[in-house]
Amino acid sequence: HLGGLALPESTEYKVLRIFSRPMHSLARPTLTGLHQHHLFEVFTISGASGSRSSHAQWRARPSHEKFVDPGSAIVVGEVVYFKVDTICDDMIRGGVNPGVPLDSIYSFDLEREEWRGILRGPIHDIFQTDEYDDDLGDYLSLWYRTTLADLRGSLGLLHYRKHQHIMDLWLLKDFDNGLWVKAYRIQIEPIFPTTESHVNSLFMLDDGRIVIHFALTGWLFIYDPRTNTSAQVEMRQLDVLA
């Protein structure tokens, strides 16, 4: 897995490379021994010459103490954000507490080349409210129901509440204080396919419209918050949207 960014007011570019070790099965899953599945390396490219220095090399960085899912990586500014690994969802389904909420987010500062603190997501705590009393199925599948996104320079988290035909889109306002704001609630019935269980990716256009790409069907939808309407884009099914 590769991800990168250009550092502001700089001629340098950084690339984060992640090696994923094969996951072995455990009869009794625990966190012990499961947090060394990924190796992280950083490489710096000089933008002035367009080529790397003869002395440049990949720099190994420490693995995070908890699980990260490399496939969920989103670069916002100078930071790479990750969802927790799917093994945490599997453990909860198996009755084992992984010790970390499924909407937690890990982050790696590319400029400093170091891990930051764990960011608590906006969803875990409000599952105890009246609004979520009937959402046990969504909680057990919370990992699959959330998608990270770079929304014009802000970290976004989409929560797809399949059983309620709702998408809640949260924006991070303050990392240090873990402050999230629910920016949009998208009512997806009946235009969205009810067979879908996961949103693959989403983007925000310059005019504020939100592009939503479904993983299973490959369908593409555009939500307009000004009119609170959604429409499917008439085109062939897409495997990847970037």
Side-chain angles (χ1 to χ4, degrees), residues 35-110:
H35 62 284
Q36 297 294 328
H37 287 203
H38 309 300
L39 301 177
F40 299 86
E41 294 182 338
V42 176
F43 188 87
T44 301
I45 302 173
S46 173
S49 62
S51 60
R52 67 182 185 181
S53 167
S54 59
H55 300 291
Q57 60 183 355
W58 288 100
R59 300 179 294 279
R61 308 311 302 160
S63 297
H64 200 276
E65 61 181 7
K66 299 292 186 181
F67 302 119
V68 299
D69 172 38
S72 67
I74 290 293
V75 181
V76 181
E78 302 168 2
V79 181
V80 186
Y81 295 93
F82 302 88
K83 291 168 50 175
V84 298
D85 197 284
T86 55
I87 186 64
C88 293
D89 183 78
D90 295 336
M91 292 171 69
I92 287 181
R93 289 171 178 269
V96 178
N97 183 2
V100 55
L102 289 180
D103 65 338
S104 296
I105 298 170
Y106 302 119
S107 58
F108 183 83
D109 189 317
L110 270 172

Side-chain angles (χ1 to χ4, degrees), residues 198-215:
H198 178 63
V199 171
N200 195 41
S201 58
L202 63 152
F203 304 88
M204 181 175 287
L205 303 177
D206 290 340
D207 61 5
R209 290 181 299 165
I210 299 170
V211 180
I212 303 169
H213 178 225
F214 282 100

Side-chain angles (χ1 to χ4, degrees), residues 134-190:
D134 298 325
D135 284 8
L136 180 60
D138 278 339
Y139 178 72
L140 294 176
S141 302
L142 185 57
W143 189 93
Y144 296 96
R145 305 286 190 243
T146 57
T147 306
L148 299 180
D150 175 10
L151 298 179
R152 300 174 66 186
S154 296
L155 177 65
L157 183 143
L158 182 76
H159 181 207
Y160 181 15
R161 300 171 59 187
K162 176 182 177 181
H163 300 298
Q164 284 69 37
H165 311 291
I166 291 172
M167 290 183 181
D168 287 334
L169 181 55
W170 299 78
L171 295 180
L172 178 65
K173 294 299 183 180
D174 187 333
F175 179 94
D176 294 332
N177 294 311
L179 176 61
W180 295 84
V181 174
K182 187 189 293 185
Y184 306 105
R185 165 160 290 184
I186 306 173
Q187 189 71 42
I188 63 174
E189 190 181 26

